[in-house]
Amino acid sequence: MSSAKDVKGPRARGPEAAPDGGADLKPPSGQDPEPPARDRGTDPEPPPPGGVLWSLSGDIRALLMLPAALTLQVAHPAVGAGVDEHSVFRTDPWGRGERSLRSLQLWVYGGAEAAEEGRRLRVLHRTIQGTDTRGRRYHALTPANYAWVHATGFPVYQHAARYLIRPMTPAQERALYAEWLQVGRVLGIHDRDMPQTIEEFWPYWKKMLAEEIEATAVVRELVDVGQPVPAPDRGPWPLRMVLRALWPVLLPPLARFRRFATIGLMPPDARAAVGLPWSAEQEKRLRRMCAVLRVVVPVLPERLRYLPRARAARAAHRTAALNG
């Protein structure tokens, strides 16, 4: 998902451009996502403390999972076209990544802020529309498009956890899916637009891979090791200066690693649907790397193992439990 600064105004493209800049554009009639929960008197609950997502999405290893999910999102022609035309991922990749990570962490660890973030994202996406590569009109909040962006998280988490953490038991997979449905509600997606069980999800997943997913222009950019990326513009000034000086040397291996992790941690059936190559030797390298991470990360102190918002939420939850 994007944050408010990730999106540019709609491009003026003849009859498809809104005469006033698109400020009042709405999704196709009858396809508006669920109205903000606050207007109905209640907010959807985020995933519960102590659940599967509570442990998974704040772990630093989850950072390696995100590129696969993001790449799958933009493999949908409508989503890819929206990102291609409206996102600032090319001009501000570090800022976009930071804001996207903050948004995702709010869905899980934000408490009351989770629903507010869901409302903000719906407002953000109201003006994103156009025509995809298949000549079909799209709107970012059309349920089929918005739900796909959400849906990619579950299979990537489920698959990547096998490598980076441990295979989930059937009960853990069901818990993860139930919690991911809660995230969908936080984002304002109707239950009717999300498969409600794992048994319903996998046929939906296979149908999307067979009929919709493709190597869009944005997918090709995200896995292109030759794609120019500016040096990081976040962090302490001395570090930024060092990175800027060394960036011509650092970028090529980092780009190769990004491609390796993106393709390797993508579910194999999705990888095949997009047409991304993966060899037996690469699979061996991935398994070796993940075996090291499975040993090293669990013994790290919490301040190094978990992302800041996850760490703060976990500490607050422990304190509340002790005082309760």
Side-chain angles (χ1 to χ4, degrees):
M1 304 297 288
S2 306
S3 71
K5 294 182 180 179
D6 298 335
V7 177
K8 302 178 288 186
R11 291 181 181 173
R13 296 187 297 143
E16 296 171 11
D20 62 351
D24 62 349
L25 293 176
K26 297 180 180 179
S29 176
Q31 296 187 341
D32 214 4
E34 187 174 356
R38 178 182 293 169
D39 297 342
R40 304 189 308 278
T42 182
D43 279 338
E45 292 290 333
V52 178
L53 272 176
W54 189 263
S55 298
L56 183 60
S57 65
D59 189 300
I60 58 171
R61 289 169 288 187
L63 295 175
L64 293 173
M65 306 178 191
L66 296 181
L70 293 171
T71 302
L72 271 179
Q73 290 171 10
V74 298
H76 188 293
V79 180
V83 170
D84 188 22
E85 297 176 358
H86 298 275
S87 175
V88 297
F89 79 99
R90 296 182 181 95
T91 56
D92 185 24
W94 300 103
R96 181 187 186 277
E98 180 181 69
R99 294 186 292 270
S100 296
L101 181 60
R102 174 185 178 275
S103 184
L104 188 154
Q105 294 288 289
L106 280 173
W107 307 343
V108 178
Y109 303 105
E113 293 181 76
E116 186 60 39
E117 177 66 5
R119 285 188 285 270
R120 186 189 71 82
L121 289 170
R122 291 193 295 275
V123 171
L124 167 69
H125 288 83
R126 283 178 183 168
T127 60
I128 300 176
Q129 68 166 8
T131 303
D132 69 18
T133 54
R134 301 183 186 181
R136 303 174 300 189
R137 293 282 297 171
Y138 73 83
H139 191 289
L141 292 181
T142 297
N145 303 337
Y146 207 52
W148 171 253
V149 172
H150 164 258
T152 57
F154 169 69
V156 170
Y157 273 141
Q158 183 235 30
H159 174 70
R162 298 174 184 172
Y163 288 80
L164 289 163
I165 301 174
R166 72 176 72 86
M168 295 184 190
T169 66
Q172 288 171 329
E173 288 187 1
R174 289 185 179 278
L176 173 63
Y177 192 74
E179 292 172 21
W180 200 241
L181 287 178
Q182 288 179 255
V183 169
R185 296 178 190 116
V186 165
L187 296 175
I189 304 174
H190 280 295
D191 277 359
R192 66 172 177 262
D193 297 317
M194 299 183 289
Q196 291 298 289
T197 66
I198 290 181
E199 289 79 11
E200 293 175 1
F201 177 81
W202 293 120
Y204 158 79
W205 171 252
K206 291 177 181 177
K207 180 178 174 66
M208 292 296 293
L209 295 184
E211 298 180 5
E212 286 289 339
I213 303 312
E214 62 183 38
T216 63
V218 181
V219 167
R220 293 193 296 272
E221 283 190 45
L222 291 178
V223 298
D224 181 3
V225 297
Q227 195 68 23
V229 177
D233 57 2
R234 296 324 194 247
W237 180 83
L239 176 61
R240 283 186 282 128
M241 293 302 99
V242 170
L243 289 175
R244 182 180 300 177
L246 296 177
W247 198 238
V249 176
L250 294 176
L251 178 57
L254 288 174
R256 290 192 295 271
F257 179 76
R258 178 191 62 191
R259 175 185 171 90
F260 174 74
T262 298
I263 300 176
L265 293 175
M266 188 178 292
D269 52 355
R271 186 193 303 148
V274 180
L276 297 173
W278 188 248
S279 68
E281 179 56 35
Q282 287 173 311
E283 180 68 16
K284 291 178 183 177
R285 287 170 50 206
L286 178 67
R287 290 179 181 273
R288 288 195 296 267
M289 179 191 78
C290 292
V292 172
L293 292 174
R294 287 198 305 271
V295 172
V296 172
V297 174
V299 299
L300 294 175
E302 187 160 311
R303 69 179 184 277
L304 298 178
R305 179 177 175 180
Y306 290 97
L307 298 170
R309 183 170 290 273
R311 190 167 65 247
R314 290 167 63 87
H317 179 61
R318 285 195 300 267
T319 300
L322 288 174
N323 295 336

